[in-house]
Amino acid sequence: AGGRPGASGIALMESHARSRFVGRKEELRTIWARLRAVTGEGSGHQVVGLRGAPGTGRTTLAEAFVGLVGKQLGATPSHVVYRGSRLRGGAFWGMANIVREALALPWGQVDEAARFSEAIDRLAALGPRLPVDSATLLEAKPYLSALIGCGGVESVGSSLTARGRLRRGLVALFEALSLRARQTTRGPLFVTLADLNFIDAPSLAAVVHLVEHVRPIAPLMLLVSYGEGFEVPVGLGKGGLFTEFHLEGLSRAEGDKLIDTQLVPNRISAKSRKQLMRETQGVPLRLIEAIRARVGDGTLIFDGTHWTEAAGADGASAAFDTLVERRAQGLNQTTQRVLQIVAATEELG
């Protein structure tokens, strides 16, 4: 059946869309080179910074790279993923979530204190091959427990001694995790810290301490994403251990490929594609949302065999008019006039 505007059209689009990663070839090549630098040594670590505006695909790039490594290994890599949030839970909230992810302990589990204790004991039993003695990890157990809300000491921030033991425990924890990664996958340990610009200051300081002091058994790669204005701490961005990429919009060719992964199959005109790229500046998430909006309002339809522009309408200009109208709702007359001028300018090229 042709047409299908609205929610049913979006559902149809999503059912046929492909999840293939698009673009960022140069970034992937460079990250591979950084990983080889540490795998060639058998151990060590690298920090990869992914800077960019929301929607530029920072976390998607990290996930794609880990996936590529998995294909090379023939196994799922050891991968700890933390996603920052604007919702803050106080000091060490970010690090508490990182540790929970590392130990596979979601919030609200039954008997989580016992599960935590068993997880730490299993990692400590990996010694004596740990660079630091297993006793360091066991000594930090009550501090790590308090950090994630499973009892332990009264407060991890109550004294410099408590913070020191917690930090040493974190270093020992990730060294043990790297050893487990080598034993289970024969590959690196990946740690993705997404939206680091939202993390609380004590947790950020703990991450920097970890980077400065960790001595992993297997190669360790930290993939860290953050916003445009984030100031990378000195300890995180030291010398040859740190590489940063500034992600911007996709190229026209890459944008075309992304459009083709969302509208399968399609006969979308070059003019509509150009308009989509111009409106979204090639930012991947914005581009996907713009396509969804056009499907939702019927500007792009499925004719029974292909996705195409609605009959009798210039898909690009109609979609742009719709976008302007939506954004103009609720604005004063002066602002609406400015938007009309912008729309006219876009149409004139």
Side-chain angles (χ1 to χ4, degrees):
R4 298 199 186 188
S8 61
I10 293 173
L12 178 64
M13 182 193 84
E14 292 178 342
S15 70
H16 289 84
R18 299 169 184 157
S19 59
R20 181 167 57 91
F21 182 73
V22 171
R24 310 302 188 196
K25 291 183 178 180
E26 188 59 38
E27 290 87 347
L28 287 170
R29 276 195 289 267
T30 305
I31 300 173
W32 267 111
R34 302 315 298 171
L35 182 61
R36 289 194 193 98
V38 287
T39 54
E41 299 170 2
S43 63
H45 64 286
Q46 288 281 329
V47 180
V48 174
L50 303 173
R51 182 185 297 277
T56 50
R58 299 164 301 177
T59 305
T60 303
L61 173 58
E63 292 172 347
F65 179 73
V66 175
L68 289 173
V69 174
K71 289 181 180 179
Q72 292 289 324
L73 291 173
T76 301
S78 295
H79 189 198
V80 177
V81 181
Y82 163 75
R83 300 179 187 278
S85 171
R86 287 185 173 88
L87 300 175
R88 306 205 177 197
F92 289 107
W93 175 251
M95 184 53 71
N97 283 279
I98 293 170
V99 171
R100 279 186 172 270
E101 290 290 339
L103 298 177
L105 287 173
W107 292 95
Q109 279 193 328
V110 177
D111 298 327
E112 62 179 11
R115 292 170 182 264
F116 163 78
S117 182
E118 291 170 4
I120 294 297
D121 289 345
R122 284 195 298 270
L123 288 171
L126 294 174
R129 292 183 59 192
L130 295 175
V132 294
D133 190 77
S134 296
T136 303
L137 185 55
L138 293 173
E139 184 181 87
K141 197 172 179 180
Y143 300 93
L144 291 169
S145 180
L147 173 72
I148 66 171
C150 289
V153 297
E154 184 175 339
S155 173
V156 293
S158 58
S159 68
L160 291 176
T161 300
R163 290 200 180 202
R165 288 180 177 173
L166 172 64
R167 287 182 173 185
R168 287 194 295 274
L170 289 170
V171 171
L173 171 63
F174 279 87
E175 288 174 350
L177 290 169
S178 74
L179 174 56
R180 188 175 69 182
R182 168 162 287 182
Q183 292 177 343
T184 57
T185 70
R186 298 184 179 275
L189 169 64
F190 294 99
V191 179
T192 296
L193 306 179
D195 293 318
L196 198 66
N197 44 298
F198 294 136
I199 202 168
D200 59 277
S203 292
L204 181 58
V207 170
V208 172
H209 180 87
L210 175 65
V211 169
E212 290 178 327
H213 293 86
V214 70
R215 298 294 181 269
I217 303 297
L220 168 63
M221 175 167 275
L222 276 79
L223 298 157
V224 186
S225 73
Y226 38 80
E228 296 277 13
F230 180 71
E231 185 174 343
V232 177
V234 174
L236 196 62
K238 278 187 176 177
L241 298 178
F242 180 77
T243 305
E244 183 182 80
F245 300 95
H246 188 181
L247 301 187
E248 297 179 334
L250 299 174
S251 68
R252 175 64 189 276
E254 292 169 341
D256 280 341
K257 289 180 181 178
L258 183 56
I259 292 169
D260 291 339
T261 67
Q262 300 302 303
L263 299 170
V264 183
N266 74 78
R267 294 192 181 110
I268 305 302
S269 69
K271 186 176 181 181
S272 288
R273 289 168 179 267
K274 183 178 179 181
Q275 186 67 52
L276 278 165
M277 287 294 290
R278 189 161 54 184
E279 288 176 18
T280 63
Q281 297 180 312
V283 173
L285 184 58
R286 293 183 202 163
L287 184 53
I288 292 171
E289 290 177 344
I291 294 170
R292 284 171 56 90
R294 282 158 171 71
V295 171
D297 63 24
T299 302
L300 295 177
I301 62 169
F302 189 71
D303 66 4
T305 59
H306 292 78
W307 288 98
T308 185
E309 292 92 343
D314 184 325
S317 60
F320 186 76
D321 290 342
T322 300
L323 182 64
V324 171
E325 288 171 6
R326 287 178 176 174
R327 292 183 177 177
Q329 289 177 0
L331 300 178
N332 61 40
Q333 291 183 350
T334 301
T335 305
Q336 290 184 32
R337 180 57 181 160
V338 170
L339 287 175
Q340 290 169 0
I341 293 170
V342 171
T345 302
E346 290 284 349
E347 290 299 316
L348 291 171

